[in-house]
Amino acid sequence: MILILLGPPGSGKGTQAKKLSEQRGWPQLSTGDMLRSAVSRKTDLGLKAKAFMDKGELVSDSVVIGLIAERTQDPDCAKGFILDGFPRTVPQSEALDDMLATRSKSVDLAVEFQIDHEELVDRLSGRRTCSKCGEMFHIKSKKPLKKDICDLCGSALVQRPDDQESVIQNRLQVYNAQTAPLIEYYEDQGKLSRLNAAQSPEQVQEDLIDLIASLSVG
Ligand code: AMP
Protein backbone atom coordinates (compact mmCIF):
# COMPACT_ATOMS: atom_id res chain seq x y z
CA MET A 1 0.00 0.00 0.00
CA ILE A 2 1.43 3.33 -1.06
CA LEU A 3 -0.72 5.94 0.59
CA ILE A 4 -0.50 9.73 0.35
CA LEU A 5 -2.00 11.90 3.07
CA LEU A 6 -2.75 15.22 1.46
CA GLY A 7 -3.95 18.28 3.34
CA PRO A 8 -2.99 21.64 4.78
CA PRO A 9 -0.64 21.97 7.74
CA GLY A 10 -2.50 21.19 10.97
CA SER A 11 -5.14 19.00 9.32
CA GLY A 12 -3.98 15.96 11.30
CA LYS A 13 -1.99 14.06 8.66
CA GLY A 14 0.91 13.40 11.03
CA THR A 15 -1.33 12.16 13.85
CA GLN A 16 -3.21 9.81 11.52
CA ALA A 17 -0.07 8.61 9.74
CA LYS A 18 1.46 7.68 13.08
CA LYS A 19 -1.61 5.72 14.23
CA LEU A 20 -1.97 3.92 10.92
CA SER A 21 1.71 3.09 10.88
CA GLU A 22 1.45 1.52 14.35
CA GLN A 23 -1.60 -0.50 13.27
CA ARG A 24 -0.50 -1.69 9.86
CA GLY A 25 3.29 -1.61 10.03
CA TRP A 26 3.67 0.67 7.01
CA PRO A 27 6.35 3.24 7.89
CA GLN A 28 5.35 6.90 8.11
CA LEU A 29 7.55 8.95 5.80
CA SER A 30 7.32 12.59 6.82
CA THR A 31 9.60 14.92 4.86
CA GLY A 32 8.95 17.58 7.55
CA ASP A 33 10.32 15.21 10.25
CA MET A 34 13.29 14.25 8.05
CA LEU A 35 14.12 17.92 7.46
CA ARG A 36 13.70 18.83 11.15
CA SER A 37 16.05 15.99 12.04
CA ALA A 38 18.62 17.37 9.54
CA VAL A 39 18.17 20.85 11.05
CA SER A 40 18.76 19.61 14.60
CA ARG A 41 21.82 17.61 13.49
CA LYS A 42 23.07 20.74 11.70
CA THR A 43 23.89 18.85 8.51
CA ASP A 44 24.57 20.85 5.31
CA LEU A 45 21.09 20.00 4.08
CA GLY A 46 19.58 21.02 7.43
CA LEU A 47 21.38 24.36 7.48
CA LYS A 48 20.12 25.16 3.97
CA ALA A 49 16.56 23.98 4.66
CA LYS A 50 16.14 25.85 7.96
CA ALA A 51 15.78 29.32 6.43
CA PHE A 52 12.95 28.12 4.17
CA MET A 53 11.22 26.16 6.92
CA ASP A 54 11.31 29.02 9.43
CA LYS A 55 9.54 31.27 6.91
CA GLY A 56 6.96 28.63 5.99
CA GLU A 57 8.34 28.31 2.44
CA LEU A 58 8.94 25.00 0.72
CA VAL A 59 12.47 23.64 0.38
CA SER A 60 13.54 22.71 -3.13
CA ASP A 61 11.85 19.83 -4.92
CA SER A 62 15.17 18.11 -5.62
CA VAL A 63 16.05 17.95 -1.90
CA VAL A 64 12.81 16.30 -0.78
CA ILE A 65 12.61 14.03 -3.82
CA GLY A 66 16.13 12.84 -2.97
CA LEU A 67 15.13 12.16 0.65
CA ILE A 68 12.11 10.10 -0.40
CA ALA A 69 13.93 8.25 -3.18
CA GLU A 70 16.53 7.10 -0.65
CA ARG A 71 14.23 6.34 2.28
CA THR A 72 11.80 4.26 0.19
CA GLN A 73 14.62 1.86 -0.69
CA ASP A 74 14.88 0.75 2.93
CA PRO A 75 13.63 -2.80 3.54
CA ASP A 76 10.82 -1.65 5.85
CA CYS A 77 9.20 0.12 2.87
CA ALA A 78 8.91 -3.06 0.80
CA LYS A 79 5.29 -3.71 1.82
CA GLY A 80 4.26 -0.08 1.44
CA PHE A 81 4.51 3.26 3.20
CA ILE A 82 2.52 6.31 4.21
CA LEU A 83 3.61 9.64 2.75
CA ASP A 84 2.92 12.52 5.14
CA GLY A 85 3.76 15.98 3.78
CA PHE A 86 5.12 14.68 0.48
CA PRO A 87 4.46 15.32 -2.38
CA ARG A 88 3.72 19.03 -1.98
CA THR A 89 4.14 20.30 -5.55
CA VAL A 90 3.16 18.93 -8.95
CA PRO A 91 6.83 18.29 -9.91
CA GLN A 92 7.19 16.25 -6.67
CA SER A 93 4.12 14.17 -7.63
CA GLU A 94 5.48 13.59 -11.10
CA ALA A 95 8.89 12.62 -9.74
CA LEU A 96 7.22 10.22 -7.30
CA ASP A 97 5.21 8.56 -10.10
CA ASP A 98 8.35 8.23 -12.25
CA MET A 99 10.38 6.84 -9.38
CA LEU A 100 7.70 4.27 -8.46
CA ALA A 101 7.27 3.26 -12.12
CA THR A 102 10.97 2.35 -12.34
CA ARG A 103 10.29 0.00 -9.40
CA SER A 104 7.08 -1.38 -11.01
CA LYS A 105 4.98 0.26 -8.30
CA SER A 106 2.44 3.08 -8.14
CA VAL A 107 0.50 5.19 -5.67
CA ASP A 108 -2.58 3.31 -4.44
CA LEU A 109 -4.53 6.09 -2.77
CA ALA A 110 -4.31 9.83 -2.03
CA VAL A 111 -6.55 11.03 0.79
CA GLU A 112 -7.42 14.70 1.03
CA PHE A 113 -7.91 15.96 4.62
CA GLN A 114 -10.60 18.64 4.29
CA ILE A 115 -10.85 21.36 6.93
CA ASP A 116 -11.54 25.12 7.23
CA HIS A 117 -8.53 27.36 7.42
CA GLU A 118 -9.78 29.22 10.55
CA GLU A 119 -9.73 25.95 12.47
CA LEU A 120 -6.16 25.34 11.29
CA VAL A 121 -4.83 28.62 12.66
CA ASP A 122 -6.20 27.69 16.09
CA ARG A 123 -4.79 24.17 15.90
CA LEU A 124 -1.34 25.24 14.73
CA SER A 125 -0.83 28.26 16.98
CA GLY A 126 -1.75 26.18 20.06
CA ARG A 127 0.32 23.18 19.07
CA ARG A 128 3.25 22.16 21.27
CA THR A 129 5.64 19.38 20.27
CA CYS A 130 7.92 17.24 22.41
CA SER A 131 11.50 18.20 21.71
CA LYS A 132 12.56 14.56 22.09
CA CYS A 133 9.88 12.09 20.98
CA GLY A 134 7.81 14.37 18.73
CA GLU A 135 4.49 13.70 20.51
CA MET A 136 2.07 16.56 19.93
CA PHE A 137 -0.06 18.45 22.45
CA HIS A 138 -2.36 21.47 22.29
CA ILE A 139 -2.65 24.27 24.83
CA LYS A 140 -6.47 23.97 24.85
CA SER A 141 -7.58 20.63 23.44
CA LYS A 142 -4.77 18.25 24.48
CA LYS A 143 -3.06 19.70 27.52
CA PRO A 144 -0.09 17.80 28.95
CA LEU A 145 -0.49 16.63 32.55
CA LYS A 146 2.39 18.91 33.59
CA LYS A 147 2.70 22.27 31.83
CA ASP A 148 5.23 22.20 28.98
CA ILE A 149 6.35 18.64 29.79
CA CYS A 150 5.73 15.62 27.55
CA ASP A 151 3.41 13.03 29.15
CA LEU A 152 5.22 10.22 27.34
CA CYS A 153 8.92 10.90 27.86
CA GLY A 154 9.15 13.82 30.31
CA SER A 155 11.07 16.09 27.91
CA ALA A 156 10.35 19.76 27.29
CA LEU A 157 7.53 20.76 24.96
CA VAL A 158 8.40 23.43 22.42
CA GLN A 159 6.56 25.49 19.85
CA ARG A 160 7.86 24.81 16.34
CA PRO A 161 9.26 28.07 14.90
CA ASP A 162 6.86 27.70 11.96
CA ASP A 163 3.84 27.28 14.27
CA GLN A 164 4.08 30.96 15.20
CA GLU A 165 1.08 32.92 14.00
CA SER A 166 3.12 35.15 11.68
CA VAL A 167 4.39 32.09 9.77
CA ILE A 168 1.13 30.09 9.79
CA GLN A 169 -0.63 32.37 7.29
CA ASN A 170 2.25 31.96 4.87
CA ARG A 171 2.20 28.17 5.21
CA LEU A 172 -1.51 28.16 4.40
CA GLN A 173 -0.97 30.39 1.37
CA VAL A 174 1.87 28.16 0.18
CA TYR A 175 -0.47 25.17 0.56
CA ASN A 176 -3.20 26.82 -1.53
CA ALA A 177 -0.81 27.91 -4.24
CA GLN A 178 1.52 24.93 -4.53
CA THR A 179 -0.03 21.86 -2.90
CA ALA A 180 -3.79 22.19 -3.47
CA PRO A 181 -3.30 21.55 -7.25
CA LEU A 182 -2.31 17.98 -6.32
CA ILE A 183 -5.95 17.30 -5.46
CA GLU A 184 -6.79 17.56 -9.15
CA TYR A 185 -3.64 15.65 -10.09
CA TYR A 186 -4.78 12.58 -8.12
CA GLU A 187 -8.44 13.08 -9.02
CA ASP A 188 -7.48 12.88 -12.70
CA GLN A 189 -5.71 9.60 -11.96
CA GLY A 190 -8.84 8.27 -10.18
CA LYS A 191 -6.87 7.89 -6.96
CA LEU A 192 -8.33 10.63 -4.78
CA SER A 193 -10.60 10.17 -1.75
CA ARG A 194 -11.64 12.85 0.73
CA LEU A 195 -12.39 12.87 4.43
CA ASN A 196 -13.69 15.40 6.93
CA ALA A 197 -10.60 16.27 8.97
CA ALA A 198 -12.51 18.61 11.34
CA GLN A 199 -13.91 15.55 13.18
CA SER A 200 -12.33 13.99 16.28
CA PRO A 201 -9.04 12.15 15.63
CA GLU A 202 -10.84 8.87 16.45
CA GLN A 203 -13.53 9.50 13.83
CA VAL A 204 -10.95 10.57 11.22
CA GLN A 205 -9.06 7.36 11.93
CA GLU A 206 -12.21 5.29 11.38
CA ASP A 207 -12.94 7.07 8.10
CA LEU A 208 -9.37 6.57 6.92
CA ILE A 209 -9.45 2.85 7.73
CA ASP A 210 -12.78 2.54 5.88
CA LEU A 211 -11.29 4.20 2.79
CA ILE A 212 -8.35 1.80 2.80
CA ALA A 213 -10.66 -1.18 3.33
CA SER A 214 -12.91 -0.15 0.44
CA LEU A 215 -9.85 0.07 -1.78
CA SER A 216 -8.72 -3.43 -0.81
CA VAL A 217 -12.20 -4.82 -1.52
CA GLY A 218 -12.92 -2.82 -4.65
P1 AMP B 1 5.60 19.81 7.81
O1 AMP B 1 6.12 19.25 9.08
O2 AMP B 1 5.14 18.75 6.85
O3 AMP B 1 4.57 20.89 8.02
O4 AMP B 1 6.84 20.51 7.08
C1 AMP B 1 7.54 21.58 7.69
C2 AMP B 1 8.32 22.35 6.65
O5 AMP B 1 9.28 21.49 6.02
C3 AMP B 1 7.50 22.91 5.50
O6 AMP B 1 6.89 24.16 5.80
C4 AMP B 1 8.56 23.05 4.42
O7 AMP B 1 9.41 24.16 4.66
C5 AMP B 1 9.40 21.79 4.63
N1 AMP B 1 8.85 20.65 3.86
C6 AMP B 1 8.33 19.50 4.35
N2 AMP B 1 7.95 18.67 3.37
C7 AMP B 1 8.23 19.32 2.22
C8 AMP B 1 8.05 18.99 0.84
N3 AMP B 1 7.49 17.85 0.45
N4 AMP B 1 8.46 19.91 -0.09
C9 AMP B 1 9.05 21.06 0.27
N5 AMP B 1 9.22 21.44 1.55
C10 AMP B 1 8.82 20.58 2.53
Side-chain angles (χ1 to χ4, degrees):
M1 165 66 66
I2 298 180
L3 175 67
I4 295 176
L5 304 188
L6 192 62
S11 58
K13 304 183 300 294
T15 303
Q16 295 300 331
K18 190 163 177 251
K19 285 186 185 178
L20 196 61
S21 174
E22 284 162 8
Q23 274 178 9
R24 300 290 172 101
W26 305 316
Q28 169 191 7
L29 309 190
S30 156
T31 38
D33 285 349
M34 292 176 197
L35 291 167
R36 276 185 290 279
S37 155
V39 169
S40 67
R41 286 180 284 117
K42 296 193 166 62
T43 64
D44 280 354
L45 188 154
L47 294 174
K48 279 188 204 139
K50 187 176 184 330
F52 292 93
M53 296 170 75
D54 285 353
K55 283 188 285 185
E57 302 288 338
L58 297 185
V59 308
S60 77
D61 287 337
S62 58
V63 165
V64 285
I65 291 165
L67 287 174
I68 290 293
E70 201 178 310
R71 176 67 181 89
T72 52
Q73 310 244 39
D74 290 345
D76 66 334
C77 291
K79 288 201 176 134
F81 45 87
I82 307 164
L83 291 168
D84 159 20
F86 179 95
R88 250 176 160 103
T89 64
V90 171
Q92 289 180 24
S93 297
E94 291 169 346
L96 175 66
D97 282 351
D98 291 349
M99 180 194 91
L100 292 174
T102 64
R103 302 176 190 172
S104 304
K105 290 184 174 169
S106 63
V107 169
D108 293 290
L109 177 67
V111 179
E112 183 203 353
F113 281 49
Q114 294 187 311
I115 184 164
D116 285 346
H117 278 201
E118 292 89 86
E119 165 80 13
L120 294 176
V121 176
D122 188 56
R123 283 192 185 187
L124 290 167
S125 59
R127 184 159 80 171
R128 298 292 181 269
T129 311
C130 175
S131 51
K132 193 164 175 210
C133 73
E135 183 71 7
M136 282 188 284
F137 296 84
H138 191 278
I139 54 171
K140 287 186 213 151
S141 58
K142 192 187 168 197
K143 290 184 187 173
L145 295 172
K146 261 199 220 160
K147 192 170 183 291
D148 295 332
I149 299 292
C150 176
D151 290 355
L152 300 191
C153 73
S155 303
L157 300 183
V158 293
Q159 183 176 36
R160 273 171 49 173
D162 58 347
D163 278 347
Q164 284 163 34
E165 233 163 311
S166 53
V167 185
I168 291 172
Q169 294 297 346
N170 193 37
R171 291 168 69 199
L172 295 177
Q173 275 168 18
V174 167
Y175 176 80
N176 284 339
Q178 304 199 54
T179 309
L182 304 195
I183 295 166
E184 205 179 319
Y185 181 91
Y186 290 109
E187 198 159 35
D188 288 349
Q189 292 190 359
K191 292 186 171 166
L192 187 80
S193 290
R194 300 179 160 91
L195 57 72
N196 174 3
Q199 306 175 101
S200 69
E202 293 73 24
Q203 187 59 53
V204 173
Q205 190 187 8
E206 255 183 52
D207 289 3
L208 184 57
I209 288 169
D210 285 350
L211 286 176
I212 293 167
S214 66
L215 189 81
S216 315
V217 174

